[in-house]
Amino acid sequence: MAATRGVMRAVRVFEFGGPEVLKLQANVSVPDPTENQVLIRVHACGVNPVETYIRSGSYARKPALPYTPGSDVAGVVAGVGERVTAFQKGDRVFTVGTISGGYAEYAVAAADRVFPLPDKLDFRQGAAIGIPYFTAYRALLQKGRAKAGESVLVHGASGGVGIATCQIARACGLKVLGTAGTEEGMDVVLRNGAHQAFNHREANYTDKIKEYIGTEGVNIIIEMLSNVNLATDLQLLSCAGRVMVVGSRGPIEINPRDTMSKESSITGVSLFLATEEEMHECAAAVLDGIEAGWLKPLVGSEYSLERVAQAHQDIMHSRGAQGKMVLLP
């Protein structure tokens, strides 16, 4: 009904700040797809930590105000631009980026950022694919150069990117270790590809990891909270081990000698810097994983658009993530 009236409900940000700057408005114009764009009726939209950094104004990329947040949309194609041939009205799709913003009833996305959503996944799961799985693949394989037989430690493995990393790593033949902050989170990690899980809220959990991996150390660490864990990560690595920094909420002091003693490396990961070729590689791997059946997004907390501020509060301060947080317009 909203599309026929030309307006929709959408979350708008008019100034950078806390969650309270997220304003749900009822009379936002439905965007029109230009020649290479797709208009999607949004059934679900993922919530990612990076969206809270952008909203606060602390992120390197600042959108022009006002804007609508949101990248990971799943829904049904409502219209296409004149040059779009890959999709047609009624197709089930998911995105790894939008142009108009995903916290809305409708969103436009570039056609090359839209992918078919197989029937075996629902829209909520579709909204849990984009940034988490593409980031996990980029961190583990494109930047981390993971190989079958190596070991990987996933810090914060019960969240969206963590679960994606565990599933991909297991499918690629790695030995997978994961951490979570609750017993429930550890169970989730074990059910989604990890061979062993550890509670990172226990004071001695790193000793348990060292005991499990032995003197050889772990080959790769996928780090979601590097401002807390990075210095310790360097102690857990093998020779030529590498830490992939996926998330950080502030600075940390490390001793560079800890990298010298093992010739280890620390690499930052940003999906926004992926080339077109790398994005196509991510997409192909994700779609293959869905088809093969091992890629199964886990949906966590669900929120209406009216509760978007609470969603942003919870994603940064919840005690333990369990799956991908989604908005349901």
Side-chain angles (χ1 to χ4, degrees):
M1 183 180 297
T4 60
R5 292 185 287 112
V7 296
M8 64 176 181
R9 295 189 312 146
V11 174
R12 302 290 281 164
V13 175
F14 292 89
E15 60 179 325
F16 297 115
E20 69 279 358
V21 303
L22 297 162
K23 304 296 185 183
L24 178 59
Q25 298 196 313
N27 290 299
V28 178
S29 295
V30 174
D32 289 319
T34 61
E35 55 186 17
N36 291 310
Q37 295 177 355
V38 177
L39 175 66
I40 301 166
R41 171 66 172 98
V42 179
H43 286 248
C45 181
V47 180
N48 297 288
V50 68
E51 289 148 19
T52 71
Y53 309 145
I54 295 171
R55 181 216 69 226
S56 71
S58 64
Y59 199 63
R61 292 189 313 114
K62 290 186 178 66
L65 297 170
Y67 77 98
T68 295
S71 297
D72 296 340
V73 160
V76 174
V77 174
V80 298
E82 60 187 23
R83 291 195 179 183
V84 176
T85 59
F87 302 100
Q88 60 185 2
K89 192 172 181 179
D91 286 349
R92 302 172 81 250
V93 295
F94 72 92
T95 72
V96 71
T98 67
I99 294 168
S100 61
Y103 294 10
E105 292 178 323
Y106 289 84
V108 289
D112 62 0
R113 291 294 184 267
V114 179
F115 307 95
L117 179 64
D119 290 338
K120 64 176 64 177
L121 299 183
D122 63 30
F123 290 117
R124 298 173 311 140
Q125 290 174 303
I129 298 172
I131 286 180
Y133 281 87
F134 281 56
T135 298
Y137 184 88
R138 181 165 179 78
L140 191 65
L141 295 163
Q142 291 180 338
K143 294 298 183 181
R145 307 178 310 282
K147 299 178 181 65
E150 288 190 313
S151 57
V152 59
L153 171 63
V154 184
H155 263 310
S158 64
V161 178
I163 287 171
T165 305
C166 289
Q167 290 179 358
I168 294 171
R170 185 64 174 258
C172 291
L174 278 78
K175 183 75 169 181
V176 186
L177 318 179
T179 75
T182 64
E183 290 296 324
E184 295 82 4
M186 291 168 65
D187 289 340
V188 165
V189 170
L190 291 171
R191 291 198 305 269
N192 283 277
H195 293 87
Q196 187 70 26
F198 304 88
N199 189 331
H200 56 227
R201 294 187 188 277
E202 292 182 0
N204 64 337
Y205 84 97
T206 55
D207 293 333
K208 292 184 178 180
I209 294 175
K210 290 177 181 178
E211 182 180 348
Y212 184 81
I213 62 177
T215 57
E216 183 177 317
V218 67
N219 300 115
I220 308 169
I221 297 177
I222 308 296
E223 184 54 72
M224 314 297 174
L225 195 61
S226 49
N227 58 296
V228 172
N229 300 318
L230 186 56
T232 303
D233 289 343
L234 298 177
Q235 307 296 324
L236 298 174
L237 286 176
S238 65
C239 286
R242 49 265 194 215
V243 179
M244 314 311 297
V245 177
V246 173
S248 182
R249 299 184 183 181
I252 186 174
E253 182 176 310
I254 64 168
N255 186 343
R257 286 183 176 176
D258 291 335
T259 66
M260 297 163 61
S261 61
K262 298 177 181 178
E263 291 194 327
S264 55
S265 61
I266 304 167
T267 302
V269 178
S270 174
L271 186 60
F272 297 120
L273 297 179
T275 64
E276 286 301 312
E277 291 78 13
E278 288 171 333
M279 289 296 284
H280 286 308
E281 180 187 340
C282 289
V286 164
L287 292 172
D288 286 348
I290 296 172
E291 180 64 28
W294 58 258
L295 194 158
K296 298 178 180 178
L298 178 65
V299 177
S301 303
E302 302 175 7
Y303 298 80
S304 64
L305 287 180
E306 287 83 358
R307 298 185 62 228
V308 63
Q310 188 63 52
H312 269 221
Q313 181 77 13
D314 291 350
I315 200 170
M316 298 303 292
H317 301 290
S318 64
R319 186 170 184 272
Q322 290 187 46
K324 178 68 179 285
M325 182 181 289
V326 296
L327 294 175
L328 302 176

